[in-house]
Amino acid sequence: MEDPWGTALALFQVWISVLLCLVMLPAMFGLSLGVTGVYIQILVQILEVSRHMLLFLAQWIIHRDGGSMAQEMLEVRGSRPGGDFTLGDVFYFYKKGMESLVDDQVTQCFSSEELASWNLLTRTNQNFRYISLRLTVIWGVGVFVRYCLLFPLRITLATISFTWLVISTTLVGFLPETSAKHWLSEVAHLMFYRICARGLSATIRYHNKENRPKKGGICVANHTTPIDIIILANDRCYAMVGQVHGGLMGVIQRSMVRSCPHVWFERTEMKDRNTVTNRLREHVTCEDKLPILIFPEGTCINNTSVMMFKKGSFEIGGTIYPVAIKYDPRFGDAFWNSAKYNMVSYLLRTMTSWAIVVNVWYLPPMTRLDQEDASQFAQRVKSAIALKGGLIDMAWDGGLKRARVKDSLKEEQQKMYSSMIVGPDGPSDLAATPPLLDLQD
Amino acid sequence: MGSRASTLLREEEIEEIKKETGFSHSQITRLYSRFSSLDKGENGTLSREDFQRIPELAINPLGDRIINAFFPESEDQVNFRGFMRTLAHFRPIEDNEKNKDHTASEPLNSRTNKLLFAFRLYDLDRDDKISRDELLQVLRMMVGVNISDEQLGSIADRTIQEADQNGDSSISFNEFIKVLEKVDVEQKMSIRFLH
């Protein structure tokens, strides 16, 4: 009678060596066996087939009228001359208010994108109803494949990759400062990220590689998920910027910084904007250092739009290398809704999705022009990224996920309306009227 | 899990809401989806904070008044029925409803009811009159700090003077209707819901 533990151990050894050969070795050289590619093709076929079996419910609720405040007021006032108040002026505000209550641009950026067609994951099933047995069977097979085949594979790879990172960077850290050390450090980091990417069945397509960020620059990108870092770092090494964490993250941070200089801040330091800016500036001016990776939105957004870029990153100076990242939502929802899920449940969900398919566009480098200030520059970079990635360019602040909106925005609305009822031209001037001071002296 | 929206809203409820408000089946399920996404506490009702969380509504000068319209006197929570009942005022008037027999009770989105909704947003103390103070309050909300008290006062006085017909220095509902008789209320107080 064979010893069951012995068999289990033997199987485990086979499993690990298979993984080593098929995943780690190719990752070291940046090669791919093409398995993920085939897998994606099969998936696309299955999703196409299932799409025809589905009954789809429409997503949109209302159609918003685009009129400006001035236009709408004029219509309400009709033939009344002059710019004075009428009882019907309130209709504009009531209507706009109700419209935003039913459907607003901002809150939907903080929840997952709704799909046009179901992708056989229960978690994205928002608008679809039970249709047929065949579809349920396909879905059932999908569940088995994802949870029983893919998930154990991915967990193993994740564990291997983290162990590898800690060991290799610590070892490299013992070497003296030579160019060999830098090269080895890059190899160690790249391997880690590549194994991680394999672990998520990630298919990454890089466009315009000639614009890839160079040393001494700052790379900015739109933020959807912590996995963005893995996606970008698969192509070249970056210096990470972030807060010092405790626990497992802290171990990783400390080992990473041994082999090449990342910028980790203590929590107290992060509050002082000058300290932060100075340290980053120090890093950037040293031509030899890796480019910094920053996400100016400050929080994860759901990959349908780009929200306001915080101007802090654009005050440091140096060359900005914008990058646009767009995930294909058919294969899994990459967005990390930090209000709903913590990091662990998010990672578990991602590891049981179909795959991560992502397009990365490197945009040409930009620098601040003399006549623009940091926030205008930030806006310019943001628009370029939104345009390239096919995302909506939004002026709203990503911080609205957690914080209240600033009163100054309401005050702007009030100012605009006031100028309409006391301005000398009244609403006949349909362009946005500049705010006027009180006319009485 | 499955489709949260339609599993938690029963068919009978949808039918009742349909009768009361005139919304279609798919509109009701989609609005329920929206209601659920605003309901962060997941207890089937919305509080004032849930509304305040919508940035576009929070920066609306009359945002607080609009939010109050959803909460009947001294209540802090609104359920889906109440939500739909208030929203129904903004449903556009369909062509086949315009010539309906008026012996049946008037639908929530009739022109008169739309005007009554707007009137009640002015008339906070529900005495069926918009007093000078009530008018000033709304004006102050709309203009913020940009207009002086005196100027605002004279605007209010002039408005009341023009509307007031029975000389009681306040605006009754009938006087309100008269002032707005030339305004396309159906369009101004309607949201274009998709079918």
Side-chain angles (χ1 to χ4, degrees):
Chain A
M1 197 172 69
E2 280 227 37
D3 172 21
W5 286 114
T7 333
L9 193 62
L11 275 176
F12 185 66
Q13 281 173 333
V14 170
W15 168 248
I16 291 291
S17 30
V18 162
L19 273 185
L20 270 169
C21 295
L22 291 181
V23 179
M24 283 188 70
L25 282 179
M28 217 170 350
F29 301 104
L31 297 171
S32 169
L33 288 176
V35 174
T36 315
V38 172
Y39 168 61
I40 299 284
Q41 297 291 339
I42 299 176
L43 258 184
V44 171
Q45 295 299 323
I46 297 178
L47 290 179
E48 267 305 306
V49 165
S50 63
R51 193 157 66 96
H52 294 296
M53 299 193 222
L54 284 170
L55 176 67
F56 169 68
L57 295 180
Q59 297 163 284
W60 308 113
I61 312 183
I62 58 174
H63 178 90
R64 296 178 95 137
D65 291 325
S68 70
M69 196 194 281
Q71 262 175 317
E72 298 277 330
M73 292 297 176
L74 183 64
E75 284 171 26
V76 169
R77 290 167 184 184
S79 55
R80 277 181 68 103
D84 292 323
F85 167 76
T86 66
L87 287 168
D89 282 359
V90 293
F91 292 167
Y92 170 78
F93 292 112
Y94 292 157
K95 180 170 169 173
K96 280 275 172 282
M98 284 294 180
E99 280 179 345
S100 63
L101 206 143
V102 172
D103 184 23
D104 82 303
Q105 293 178 308
V106 183
T107 53
Q108 58 189 8
C109 287
F110 302 134
S111 60
S112 303
E113 186 182 356
E114 286 191 18
L115 295 170
S117 173
W118 191 36
N119 63 351
L120 299 175
L121 297 173
T122 322
R123 62 190 67 136
T124 49
N125 186 3
Q126 287 163 314
N127 289 325
F128 305 100
R129 296 197 277 230
Y130 172 81
I131 295 303
S132 69
L133 185 63
R134 209 159 28 146
L135 195 61
T136 316
V137 167
I138 297 182
W139 171 76
V141 171
V143 170
F144 173 73
V145 167
R146 283 184 293 119
Y147 281 84
C148 302
L149 296 180
L150 292 177
F151 183 59
L153 169 68
R154 288 171 180 171
I155 287 280
T156 325
L157 284 174
T159 329
I160 294 178
S161 64
F162 277 97
T163 328
W164 161 260
L165 178 72
V166 175
I167 295 176
S168 61
T169 49
T170 317
L171 287 175
V172 171
F174 287 132
L175 295 174
E177 283 288 326
T178 56
S179 55
K181 177 185 181 184
H182 290 302
W183 179 76
L184 275 176
S185 152
E186 279 195 28
V187 169
H189 276 95
L190 276 174
M191 260 200 74
F192 163 65
Y193 288 117
R194 283 184 184 140
I195 303 176
C196 279
R198 296 275 190 288
L200 294 167
S201 300
T203 306
I204 314 173
R205 205 170 293 130
Y206 298 99
H207 305 264
N208 307 330
K209 278 198 174 184
E210 67 274 8
N211 292 324
R212 199 156 52 168
K214 301 192 174 43
K215 292 201 172 154
I218 304 175
C219 175
V220 302
N222 57 314
H223 201 26
T224 307
T225 154
I227 295 177
D228 285 339
I229 302 176
I230 298 179
I231 303 292
L232 288 178
N234 252 274
D235 203 28
R236 72 148 301 141
C237 275
Y238 294 95
M240 306 290 162
V241 177
Q243 226 174 37
V244 169
H245 283 95
L248 180 62
M249 276 298 295
V251 172
I252 298 172
Q253 283 180 329
R254 282 192 295 276
S255 49
M256 279 170 86
V257 90
R258 271 191 209 109
S259 60
C260 79
H262 299 285
V263 188
W264 304 124
F265 289 102
E266 300 288 336
R267 177 151 273 193
T268 43
E269 282 180 306
M270 294 239 30
K271 300 231 161 87
D272 182 1
R273 274 190 48 192
N274 279 327
T275 323
V276 173
T277 320
N278 286 334
R279 254 183 87 179
L280 291 175
R281 197 173 282 145
E282 245 178 72
H283 185 111
V284 163
T285 44
C286 176
E287 281 285 318
D288 216 22
K289 295 217 175 135
L290 298 170
I292 312 178
L293 179 57
I294 296 186
F295 297 105
E297 281 166 311
T299 184
C300 293
I301 310 294
N302 78 344
N303 208 229
T304 55
S305 17
V306 186
M307 297 190 93
M308 190 179 91
F309 274 6
K310 304 226 177 342
K311 62 180 179 150
S313 333
F314 299 89
E315 290 171 331
I316 304 170
T319 325
I320 302 276
Y321 294 89
V323 179
I325 307 176
K326 181 85 176 96
Y327 292 86
D328 190 334
R330 285 180 298 171
F331 299 98
D333 178 26
F335 167 57
W336 180 32
N337 191 343
S338 48
K340 239 176 151 181
Y341 306 106
N342 60 16
M343 176 66 100
V344 176
S345 10
Y346 169 71
L347 284 175
L348 289 177
R349 280 162 62 92
T350 314
M351 288 201 233
T352 53
S353 302
W354 293 117
I356 305 257
V357 177
V358 51
N359 280 301
V360 176
W361 287 274
Y362 290 115
L363 280 80
M366 294 182 171
T367 39
R368 185 159 70 93
L369 302 169
D370 286 326
Q371 64 266 32
E372 59 183 5
D373 65 9
S375 40
Q376 287 165 331
F377 180 39
Q379 177 63 41
R380 189 159 65 93
V381 173
K382 174 161 79 84
S383 306
I385 291 181
L387 188 64
K388 197 68 176 185
L391 304 160
I392 305 172
D393 185 359
M394 279 233 212
W396 293 95
D397 185 355
L400 289 172
K401 199 194 236 181
R402 297 200 173 81
R404 283 286 179 85
V405 66
K406 285 196 290 223
D407 281 331
S408 55
L409 291 170
K410 188 193 264 197
E411 284 155 22
E412 269 175 43
Q413 295 267 310
Q414 288 168 329
K415 220 180 219 177
M416 214 190 318
Y417 177 68
S418 311
S419 66
M420 262 170 233
I421 60 175
V422 292
D425 298 320
S428 57
D429 176 12
L430 284 182
T433 49
L436 287 166
L437 300 168
D438 194 340
L439 289 184
Q440 287 187 333
D441 48 38
Chain B
M1 272 202 253
S3 179
R4 238 177 5 137
S6 40
T7 46
L8 294 182
L9 192 62
R10 298 186 317 275
E11 281 299 317
E12 311 92 67
E13 270 194 77
I14 299 181
E15 283 305 311
E16 283 171 36
I17 296 176
K18 205 170 172 181
K19 246 182 267 181
E20 195 180 352
T21 61
F23 282 115
S24 74
H25 194 284
S26 65
Q27 286 169 339
I28 295 173
T29 38
R30 268 178 286 148
L31 285 167
Y32 186 72
S33 216
R34 173 66 173 172
F35 179 86
S36 309
S37 70
L38 292 174
D39 179 13
K40 292 282 185 271
E42 293 194 351
N43 53 359
T45 60
L46 295 178
S47 66
R48 286 194 171 81
E49 283 77 42
D50 289 321
F51 287 105
Q52 291 279 358
R53 225 176 268 124
I54 304 171
E56 287 172 35
L57 187 56
I59 66 166
N60 189 313
L62 295 176
D64 285 332
R65 284 288 161 104
I66 297 171
I67 295 173
N68 271 328
F70 283 87
F71 296 90
E73 298 82 5
S74 71
E75 281 190 30
D76 287 328
Q77 305 282 334
V78 57
N79 61 12
F80 184 59
R81 292 289 287 269
F83 180 74
M84 292 301 279
R85 214 173 285 134
T86 314
L87 263 184
H89 287 99
F90 282 81
R91 196 169 68 82
I93 300 176
E94 253 117 75
D95 287 324
N96 61 359
E97 285 175 330
K98 280 198 182 131
N99 303 319
K100 242 160 97 162
D101 176 19
H102 285 289
T103 54
S105 70
E106 226 172 321
L108 286 166
N109 66 334
S110 68
R111 187 195 156 91
T112 318
N113 274 326
K114 285 181 197 283
L115 283 166
L116 188 60
F117 184 80
F119 184 79
R120 292 229 170 98
L121 285 170
Y122 279 107
D123 178 28
L124 273 190
D125 60 5
R126 293 296 177 94
D127 62 354
D128 290 326
K129 287 204 291 273
I130 303 178
S131 67
R132 184 178 188 269
D133 274 333
E134 286 170 339
L135 185 55
L136 271 176
Q137 270 184 43
V138 174
L139 275 169
R140 184 50 77 191
M141 285 174 87
M142 288 200 281
V143 304
V145 299
N146 298 295
I147 298 182
S148 70
D149 281 332
E150 299 91 52
Q151 202 168 9
L152 216 59
S154 62
I155 292 176
D157 288 327
R158 194 192 39 78
T159 311
I160 294 182
Q161 206 180 30
E162 285 176 2
D164 189 17
Q165 286 167 347
N166 63 355
D168 61 353
S169 304
S170 61
I171 307 176
S172 71
F173 184 49
N174 286 322
E175 289 161 358
F176 186 72
I177 297 180
K178 191 91 195 351
V179 171
L180 296 169
E181 66 184 348
K182 291 216 183 63
V183 176
D184 184 3
V185 176
E186 285 91 342
Q187 200 259 322
K188 290 294 158 196
M189 289 279 280
S190 294
I191 303 178
R192 293 184 24 204
F193 287 97
L194 297 173
H195 289 287

